[in-house]
């Protein structure tokens, strides 16, 4: 009679632990939601007031002050004159644009490995290639011997 009670109490204990875990997860997610809402409100207030928050990220484009609209840009004045010419010139040629974008990506967006990292990766590639070459050579020799044994040559 005591064993079923002990099993029942273990089941109750497990279910109460599971319920406690679920409750703590719910509370944690509610806290995260509240904090994210508060952060969003603070960011929108800061944007409205024009003040920068310490944790906010500002891009270079957002930092630049806008040019006054009263003074026309030089390119606007030139665009009316150059309308008879090709617009954009050689800079808009697909090959030139591709080369320019490739250069910018390689220069500013690619994270290049250090000398030590490049050396270590090169050594790993050479070792793995050698090991795989040896394994394939042994497999080839084994298959050749098997073929000779089967054909009798």
């Amino acid at each position: 009679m005591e064993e079923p009670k002990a099993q029942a109490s273990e089941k109750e204990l497990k279910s109460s632990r599971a319920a406690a875990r679920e409750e703590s997860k719910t509370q944690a997610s509610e806290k995260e939601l509240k904090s994210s809402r508060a952060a969003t409100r603070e960011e929108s207030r800061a944007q409205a007031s024009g003040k920068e928050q310490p944790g906010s990220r500002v891009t270079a484009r957002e930092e630049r002050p806008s040019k006054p609209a009263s003074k026309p840009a030089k390119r606007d004045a030139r665009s009316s004159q150059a309308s008879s010419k090709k617009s954009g010139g050689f800079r808009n040629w697909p090959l030139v644009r591709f080369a320019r974008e490739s250069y910018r990506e390689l220069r500013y967006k690619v994270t290049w490995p250090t000398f030590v990292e490049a050396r270590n990766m090169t050594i790993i590639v050479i070792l793995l290639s050698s090991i795989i070459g040896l394994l394939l050579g042994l497999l080839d020799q084994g298959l050749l011997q098997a073929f000779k044994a089967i054909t009798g040559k």
Side-chain angles (χ1 to χ4, degrees):
M1 189 88 173
E2 291 179 20
E3 288 180 19
K5 288 181 182 179
Q7 290 176 351
S9 65
E10 286 179 22
K11 288 181 182 178
E12 290 174 8
L13 182 62
K14 286 181 182 179
S15 64
S16 65
R17 286 181 185 166
R21 269 190 246 122
E22 287 296 321
E23 186 177 330
S24 66
K25 287 180 185 177
T26 305
Q27 289 174 352
S29 64
E30 287 175 0
K31 286 180 183 178
E32 290 174 10
L33 183 61
K34 286 179 184 178
S35 65
S36 66
R37 285 181 183 163
T40 305
R41 273 189 248 120
E42 288 175 12
E43 288 175 6
S44 62
R45 285 182 195 148
Q47 287 176 353
S49 66
K51 294 180 182 177
E52 184 178 328
Q53 292 292 322
S56 66
R57 296 181 74 197
V58 179
T59 61
R61 198 171 278 192
E62 292 171 351
E63 283 181 3
R64 266 189 245 146
S66 61
K67 293 182 180 179
S70 61
K71 187 177 178 184
K74 289 182 181 179
R75 64 175 170 238
D76 292 339
R78 279 188 279 169
S79 65
S80 61
Q81 296 170 357
S83 61
S84 61
K85 296 180 181 178
K86 263 188 174 178
S87 63
F90 74 94
R91 288 186 175 189
N92 284 333
W93 291 355
L95 190 60
V96 174
R97 187 178 29 200
F98 172 76
R100 193 173 63 243
E101 289 173 1
S102 299
Y103 171 78
R104 286 184 183 145
E105 183 174 349
L106 290 172
R107 178 72 172 93
Y108 301 109
K109 293 182 181 180
V110 173
T111 304
W112 295 99
T114 63
F115 176 78
V116 173
E117 291 172 337
R119 184 192 64 205
N120 291 341
M121 287 188 280
T122 303
I123 291 170
I124 289 171
V125 167
I126 290 170
L127 289 175
L128 287 176
S129 299
S130 301
I131 291 170
I132 290 173
L134 285 173
L135 289 174
L136 289 175
L138 290 173
L139 180 67
D140 187 41
Q141 286 298 318
L143 291 174
L144 180 65
Q145 294 300 324
F147 180 74
K148 285 182 178 180
I150 291 172
T151 59
K153 291 186 180 181

